[in-house]
Amino acid sequence: MAGIIKKTINAEFPGPLRYFTGYFVMLVGAGITFLVQSSSVFTSALTPLVGLGVVTLERMFPLTLGSNIGTTATGMLAALASSGDKLHNSIQIALCHLFFNISGILLWYPIPFMRKCPIYAAKCLGNTTAKYRWFAIFYLIMMFFALPLLVFGLSMLSVWALAAVGIPLVILMMFVAIVNILQRKRPSALPEKLKNWEFLPEPFRSLDPLDRLISKVRDKIGSCCPCRKNEEKMPVSDHMPTMYNGNNANTGAPELTAVHYNAGDESATAISSSSHMPNGSVISNHVVAL
């Protein structure tokens, strides 16, 4: 089944029609989202498939863009259900939602080079989250709460305050992005000092200091948790899985084991420190594939 899905979703139109594959995929994503009335359901169902490699990230991108268009149908239907005196404003807001998503597609998709930007950003964020598990929550808090509140607060002060803070930040982000690209593509074009970021203090070039701080706080909180204290007081045999082989099944003597699951081949491996084989011999660190 996974092979069929992989070949079908990731397929391309033949010949000159290959260019229009992404736009057709957008229509599919918009149509399915319109049917289920939820872009979250659609993207959440596909996200595990991307993680397993069944759906490529390049194919998930137009599906998500189409889903963003399909979800505007919910707002449009709600606007049409409004009363007569509020119908004009309701439709206006629904159309703002629609054209905002369309403008995002026009910005990031028609030009092939621009498609690489969000895909590359998604890969960087995914790799960072894989290394620092707390980064996902940190990213959500910063992008959905802290940054909007900052922009809103500065805009409430004055447009000049927003420009005074926003323009330097945008210029700095563009500079860092350009230097990062040159460091990978053409390091010879950069001055010796800018060929890497080692000259900066560690908090400005790495998340390791923040990771160490969060780990200390987490361990401190965990050490105060009554549940963890109870687990530490429990005997090892009370919370470790046991495995019985041919020799100890009748005697009832438990054998401590640990189980390792391999996601690649969907197999599990039970590891015991001293496993008795059926012929009575003892093999240390015996590994039994389940």
Side-chain angles (χ1 to χ4, degrees):
M1 181 60 71
I4 296 175
I5 296 175
K6 187 173 183 179
K7 291 180 180 179
T8 303
I9 296 182
N10 299 319
E12 300 279 350
F13 287 152
L17 297 177
R18 182 186 183 93
Y19 177 80
F20 298 99
T21 304
Y23 296 97
F24 176 77
V25 172
M26 282 187 202
L27 294 177
V28 173
I32 296 177
T33 304
F34 176 76
L35 292 176
V36 299
Q37 291 292 299
S38 175
S39 60
S40 299
V41 171
F42 178 72
T43 54
S44 298
L46 288 177
T47 298
L49 297 180
V50 178
L52 292 173
V54 177
V55 180
T56 63
L57 195 60
E58 289 74 14
R59 184 47 45 86
M60 184 64 183
F61 181 43
L63 283 171
T64 304
L65 294 178
S67 177
N68 290 338
I69 297 297
T71 194
T72 60
T74 304
M76 190 65 68
L77 292 175
L80 293 174
S82 301
S83 58
D85 57 334
K86 299 179 181 178
L87 181 62
H88 176 75
N89 293 333
S90 300
I91 293 180
Q92 188 176 26
I93 294 298
L95 289 176
C96 287
H97 186 201
L98 173 63
F99 285 106
F100 176 79
N101 288 332
I102 291 177
S103 63
I105 293 176
L106 294 177
L107 175 64
W108 296 110
Y109 198 79
I111 304 175
F113 172 78
M114 295 296 292
R115 302 174 191 175
K116 298 180 180 180
C117 297
I119 293 176
Y120 175 77
K123 291 179 179 179
C124 290
L125 291 174
N127 292 333
T128 304
T129 305
K131 185 176 181 181
Y132 308 102
R133 296 304 176 93
W134 51 263
F135 182 77
I137 300 176
F138 176 79
Y139 175 81
L140 291 176
I141 294 174
M142 294 300 297
M143 297 304 295
F144 289 91
F145 294 98
L147 183 60
L149 286 175
L150 176 64
V151 173
F152 179 74
L154 292 174
S155 64
M156 291 295 292
L157 291 176
S158 69
V159 67
W160 297 109
L162 179 61
V165 176
I167 293 176
L169 285 178
V170 171
I171 294 175
L172 178 62
M173 292 171 61
M174 293 177 62
F175 172 76
V176 172
I178 293 173
V179 171
N180 282 333
I181 293 174
L182 291 177
Q183 285 177 350
R184 293 193 307 271
K185 302 294 184 180
R186 291 191 59 187
S188 59
L190 292 172
E192 190 66 28
K193 198 169 187 178
L194 288 178
K195 289 184 178 180
N196 55 62
W197 300 109
E198 296 298 328
F199 66 93
L200 292 175
E202 189 179 14
F204 289 93
R205 55 182 169 84
S206 174
L207 292 175
D208 287 338
L210 185 57
D211 182 62
R212 291 193 293 266
L213 176 62
I214 293 176
S215 298
K216 289 181 180 179
V217 174
R218 182 189 60 196
D219 294 340
K220 189 69 175 177
I221 296 175
S223 62
C224 300
C225 179
C227 298
R228 185 168 180 178
K229 291 181 179 180
N230 293 334
E231 289 181 359
E232 292 176 353
K233 293 179 181 179
M234 291 175 58
V236 178
S237 59
D238 290 345
H239 54 81
M240 288 291 290
T242 60
M243 176 179 289
Y244 296 92
N245 54 34
N247 290 334
N248 61 16
N250 296 327
T251 60
E255 179 181 358
L256 302 181
T257 64
V259 180
H260 171 70
Y261 294 94
N262 191 336
D265 55 7
E266 298 182 354
S267 64
T269 303
I271 306 174
S272 63
S273 58
S274 178
S275 297
H276 296 268
M277 298 300 290
N279 58 7
S281 61
V282 179
I283 298 179
S284 178
N285 296 326
H286 174 60
V287 179
V288 182
L290 299 179

